[in-house]
Amino acid sequence: MPEVLTAPLTLEFPFTRSLGPVQSAFLTGLRERVVLGVRTTDGRTLVPPVEYDPVTADELRDLVEVAPTGTVTTWAWNPEPRRGQPLDNPFAWVLVRLDGADTALLHALDAPGPDSVRTGQRVRVRWAETRTGAITDIACFEPCEGPTAEPSGHSGEFEDAVTGIVAPARLDYTYGPGRAQTDHLAALAERRTVGERCPSCHKVYIPPRGACPTCGVATTDHVEVGPAGTVTTYCIVNIKAKNLDIEVPYVYAHIALDGADLALHGRIGGIPYDQVRMGLRVEPVWTEGSRFPDHYRPNGEPDADYDTYKELV
Ligand SMILES: [Zn+2]
């Protein structure tokens, strides 16, 4: 049996969000080196500010400036910073209660090592050189001595308020397809399609998941299917995908390969899109170096009778 495959995968997308009045003021303030909190109806000051009181649900709009100095309320050492974190060198994650605030803000503290960080430590904001109206306008916190820094006295009213941010979301992970799909992928490398048969109901699954979804028993019996198959159902795609060099309209179909009890997906080529039909007999078309069929095309056989594939629609 071949070694089980793994592959690094990255899931990444930009998330664009509007800010609303409170977050807009907070981030615009950071751009101008002013830290704003919001006052609750019972007189507490929340930093970072929120639009609604987490206790009473009152709407909060009374923005007040707090100092750029504060006190560490708790912390954790981060020995191996990851991509996108505030600092490249090891640092402490800290909750900092800024002077004038009643709640703490999560950020990074630039410190030489965990021995130099403690709860109760005095710290101050280190501003980013280039500020755009984002939490990263605070580059990090740094240790400081001495009393509370004076707030700037800013009114909290700014020109050109920041009204939205783009937050890049990214997830790096290692994908392991497991034994059954590893075998399936190894066969595809030889341009063969291999599924697995359930020992109980005898259905053949493509691609195999390692267990029968109906019977719940392990599938281990390899079965080669295809290469020809039957279009069981299809749709016409009219929207051009950003990263695909395929002319629209084209047809994407469910294809039941001969011998399989589960239809797979594939693009249909070699025939005008409006002539594709249920029951059309097709065969895979491989391109140089590809690990799966580029598309399927008619193989010239007469259309399959509906009764032969109706269970797979
Ligand atoms: Zn089964």
Side-chain angles (χ1 to χ4, degrees):
M1 192 166 79
E3 207 174 313
V4 173
L5 298 172
T6 60
L9 284 187
T10 299
L11 184 64
E12 188 174 28
F13 57 92
F15 179 62
T16 304
R17 56 163 291 191
S18 55
L19 291 171
V22 172
Q23 299 300 322
S24 170
F26 177 62
L27 295 183
T28 308
L30 295 185
R31 189 186 69 197
E32 308 301 326
R33 302 192 195 208
V34 173
V35 185
L36 294 176
V38 71
R39 188 107 63 190
T40 64
T41 41
D42 60 2
R44 290 168 301 132
T45 299
L46 311 181
V47 179
V50 292
E51 290 181 26
Y52 295 92
D53 190 310
V55 178
T56 65
D58 289 340
E59 184 172 305
L60 305 177
R61 293 293 184 270
D62 183 14
L63 294 162
V64 290
E65 187 184 359
V66 298
T69 50
T71 303
V72 172
T73 64
T74 190
W75 59 279
W77 189 249
N78 178 15
E80 290 178 31
R82 305 179 70 168
R83 185 181 184 278
Q85 291 188 336
L87 295 168
D88 294 333
N89 52 287
F91 64 89
W93 289 113
V94 283
L95 281 173
V96 176
R97 191 174 59 238
L98 293 171
D99 298 326
D102 292 288
T103 55
L105 171 79
L106 175 68
H107 218 293
L109 172 65
D110 190 8
D115 292 344
S116 59
V117 186
R118 61 186 170 78
T119 297
Q121 185 171 14
R122 294 289 294 161
V123 295
R124 69 175 165 225
V125 168
R126 180 189 296 165
W127 295 105
E129 271 183 38
T130 307
R131 294 180 307 283
T132 59
I135 190 62
T136 47
D137 290 353
I138 298 178
C140 62
F141 283 85
E142 58 191 20
C144 74
E145 299 298 330
T148 305
E150 286 299 315
S152 68
H154 199 284
S155 66
E157 299 285 328
F158 301 103
E159 304 272 311
D160 300 328
V162 178
T163 56
I165 55 170
V166 178
R170 180 181 165 116
L171 179 65
D172 291 285
Y173 64 104
T174 301
Y175 176 69
R179 178 208 43 89
Q181 288 203 58
T182 291
D183 293 347
H184 177 71
L185 292 168
L188 278 178
E190 299 167 0
R191 301 195 172 184
R192 296 183 303 119
T193 304
V194 172
E196 288 188 349
R197 191 194 317 272
C198 172
S200 175
C201 69
H202 306 297
K203 281 189 173 172
V204 174
Y205 292 103
I206 302 284
R209 305 282 184 214
C212 175
T214 308
C215 309
V217 298
T219 57
T220 53
D221 186 11
H222 287 191
V223 180
E224 184 167 344
V225 300
T230 301
V231 171
T232 62
T233 183
Y234 63 94
C235 68
I236 298 170
V237 180
N238 285 295
I239 298 169
K240 191 156 175 62
K242 218 175 178 180
N243 302 324
L244 289 181
D245 188 23
I246 302 171
E247 286 305 311
V248 292
Y250 64 87
V251 172
Y252 207 66
H254 274 191
I255 300 158
L257 295 182
D258 295 347
D261 290 292
L262 199 63
L264 49 73
H265 304 167
R267 182 169 63 88
I268 305 297
I271 178 174
Y273 72 91
D274 56 357
Q275 290 179 28
V276 176
R277 54 203 179 265
M278 291 171 74
L280 181 70
R281 295 285 294 159
V282 293
E283 64 187 8
V285 177
W286 296 81
T287 50
E288 187 66 32
S290 102
R291 304 235 358 170
F292 48 88
D294 177 69
H295 64 275
Y296 291 77
R297 69 181 170 208
N299 70 351
E301 292 176 14
D303 285 5
D305 189 71
Y306 180 64
D307 282 341
T308 64
Y309 62 88
K310 66 181 181 187
E311 299 295 329
L312 300 175
V313 172

